[in-house]
Amino acid sequence: ERFAAFCMIRRHYSRSFDIEDVSMGGGGDTGIDALAIIVNNVLVTDSDTVDELAEQNGQLDVSFIFIQGKRTHGFDAASIGDFGFGVRDFFNPDPKITRNAEIQAAADLAGNIFTHAPILRGRPSCQLYYVTTGKWQEEKDSVARRDAVIEDLNNLGTFGSIRFGCVGAEELHAAY
């Protein structure tokens, strides 16, 4: 999980970071193993940093990066759906599933970001990565689940762009 998170976050954030700052895994993680929130090219972990960036820059450019890592050799449509449901629920002000402390803190941070809506530089981007040691084969059920997650997130009207990458061993190796 941590290796997958490191590799996927590095696609968007080239500075060094502590993997523990983005790890969400464990009970109550809502299917999200890692989450990076990047604001104005800074990986943020607290509301004070967001407030400082808002004051200093007068605008906020925001990206949310969610990762689910599996050791399995394939892509499971049900797990893809569960991951997507957890991400969708993350943005729900009245969450339907139990959150651990890390997920709740990250959701509170996201809520703080959205209080700065007047100075958001466009709507945030949302990146999801479902990572396994297998090979993405575009299986019908997995593609349908992935596409349903994208549609659900689009229906929120919150994001300027949404990308859901199903990453296999080859892509993970290349990202590393």
Side-chain angles (χ1 to χ4, degrees), residues 107-121:
D108 292 343
L109 176 57
N112 181 52
I113 289 168
F114 288 116
T115 66
H116 294 285
I119 63 166
L120 288 180
R121 194 173 139 222

Side-chain angles (χ1 to χ4, degrees), residues 44-78:
V44 297
T45 57
D46 61 78
S47 291
D48 290 341
T49 303
V50 172
D51 295 340
E52 288 172 19
L53 290 167
E55 187 176 319
Q56 290 171 358
N57 299 300
Q59 66 181 9
L60 299 177
D61 184 25
V62 180
S63 296
F64 293 94
I65 304 165
F66 296 89
I67 299 101
Q68 171 60 258
K70 296 285 189 189
R71 292 184 195 173
T72 59
H73 293 292
F75 290 84
D76 178 59

Side-chain angles (χ1 to χ4, degrees), residues 53-176:
L53 290 167
E55 187 176 319
Q56 290 171 358
N57 299 300
Q59 66 181 9
L60 299 177
D61 184 25
V62 180
S63 296
F64 293 94
I65 304 165
F66 296 89
I67 299 101
Q68 171 60 258
K70 296 285 189 189
R71 292 184 195 173
T72 59
H73 293 292
F75 290 84
D76 178 59
S79 293
I80 290 170
D82 290 346
F83 173 47
F85 184 82
V87 172
R88 169 68 177 83
D89 197 59
F90 176 84
F91 293 102
N92 188 341
D94 182 27
K96 306 299 181 214
I97 50 182
T98 304
R99 295 175 170 176
N100 65 23
E102 292 83 4
I103 292 289
Q104 186 59 55
D108 292 343
L109 176 57
N112 181 52
I113 289 168
F114 288 116
T115 66
H116 294 285
I119 63 166
L120 288 180
R121 194 173 139 222
R123 292 180 292 163
S125 69
C126 184
Q127 315 289 325
L128 292 82
Y129 294 101
Y130 184 89
V131 183
T132 76
T133 59
K135 180 177 173 124
W136 177 245
Q137 306 260 346
E138 300 272 338
E139 294 170 353
K140 182 180 177 184
D141 292 346
S142 295
V143 169
R145 285 291 183 120
R146 181 200 62 196
D147 293 349
V149 168
I150 293 169
E151 183 178 340
D152 285 348
L153 291 171
N154 267 323
N155 288 338
L156 292 175
T158 303
F159 305 106
S161 66
I162 300 167
R163 181 181 183 283
F164 192 143
C166 292
V167 178
E170 284 185 30
E171 295 90 354
L172 183 61
H173 184 263
Y176 180 69

